[in-house]
Amino acid sequence: MKIAIYPGTFDPITNGHLDILERALKLFDKVIITVAKNPTKQPLFDQEERRSMIRSAVKRYKNVEVDMFDGLLVEYARKKKATSLVRGLRAISDFEYELQMALMNRKLDSTLETVFLMPNEKYTYLNSSIIREIARLGGDVHDFVPEAVLKALTEKHPRKP
Ligand code: ADP
């Protein structure tokens, strides 16, 4: 059984994240999406809210588990018996940070591979912080996020009539 971990902040999950998840599901028997606490990023949604939005968004997929973690990712992956980490690469701008993380994680656990997947090009400009910003300013983000996220964003930032 090939298990992969897809870790991230997911503040909130977007259709770009789901695109990567679908690709990962073609390669692995099971994908565990795990929400990092990430207090340094001061997320808009707390860890539990982020997990619950992901749960609603991935109901239609088989072989997906949604979880959260705090601490060292390689240890979490070992506990879950995962062989790989999945990350998305949108543009060259992602590359430097992602390479650094991947090499550091390999140093910490040489048996764990990081697998990079590229999303459909329509998602290459999409990220969670742009979504938060548009929603905060009252813009419409329904093309970019799953239903549960749209609802949660509208509750945080009620649209002006
Ligand atoms: P981080 O884990 O760096 O805080 P995110 O939670 O936003 O960031 O993203 C988790 C992973 O998903 C990262 O590898 C990121 O590059 C990837 N990702 C985010 N948005 C997209 C997107 N629109 N298309 C493809 N991959 C994405």
Side-chain angles (χ1 to χ4, degrees):
M1 174 113 164
K2 280 206 177 313
I3 302 175
I5 308 279
Y6 182 16
T9 310
F10 303 109
D11 186 36
I13 188 163
T14 68
N15 294 342
H17 292 122
L18 291 175
D19 177 291
I20 296 295
L21 173 69
E22 282 178 22
R23 288 170 204 280
L25 284 170
K26 290 185 203 154
L27 303 175
F28 297 97
D29 301 311
K30 179 175 166 187
V31 177
I32 304 173
I33 304 194
T34 193
V35 180
K37 196 165 185 187
N38 232 339
T40 51
K41 279 199 171 177
Q42 294 194 321
L44 173 65
F45 294 102
D46 68 30
Q47 202 177 12
E48 185 51 57
E49 288 173 311
R50 285 177 273 147
R51 179 174 65 172
S52 128
M53 285 185 282
I54 298 173
R55 283 217 166 119
S56 310
V58 304
K59 261 196 210 125
R60 64 182 188 274
Y61 303 111
K62 268 192 248 147
N63 309 323
V64 177
E65 180 184 321
V66 186
D67 194 18
M68 23 191 210
F69 83 105
D70 189 18
L72 214 48
L73 185 58
V74 291
E75 263 166 29
Y76 173 83
R78 215 173 288 150
K79 231 172 33 204
K80 291 287 186 179
K81 300 189 181 345
T83 56
S84 308
L85 300 175
V86 167
R87 297 284 290 176
L89 272 187
R90 284 159 292 192
I92 309 262
S93 51
D94 283 338
F95 183 74
E96 199 164 339
Y97 172 72
E98 293 292 343
L99 178 71
Q100 189 183 15
M101 293 285 290
L103 293 181
M104 184 50 86
N105 282 329
R106 182 190 282 166
K107 192 87 193 154
L108 294 173
D109 182 345
S110 61
T111 65
L112 192 65
E113 285 299 338
T114 302
V115 174
F116 292 106
L117 296 171
M118 272 62 78
N120 183 305
E121 54 283 7
K122 68 182 176 200
Y123 298 128
T124 50
Y125 60 91
L126 182 55
N127 65 45
S128 300
S129 66
I130 287 184
I131 293 300
R132 292 194 302 274
E133 187 63 4
I134 299 173
R136 188 179 68 80
L137 297 170
D140 181 5
V141 293
H142 86 272
D143 276 347
F144 311 113
V145 295
E147 197 55 44
V149 171
L150 194 61
K151 193 163 163 276
L153 281 170
T154 315
E155 278 161 17
K156 289 254 184 218
H157 308 292
R159 304 265 308 270
K160 290 161 199 93

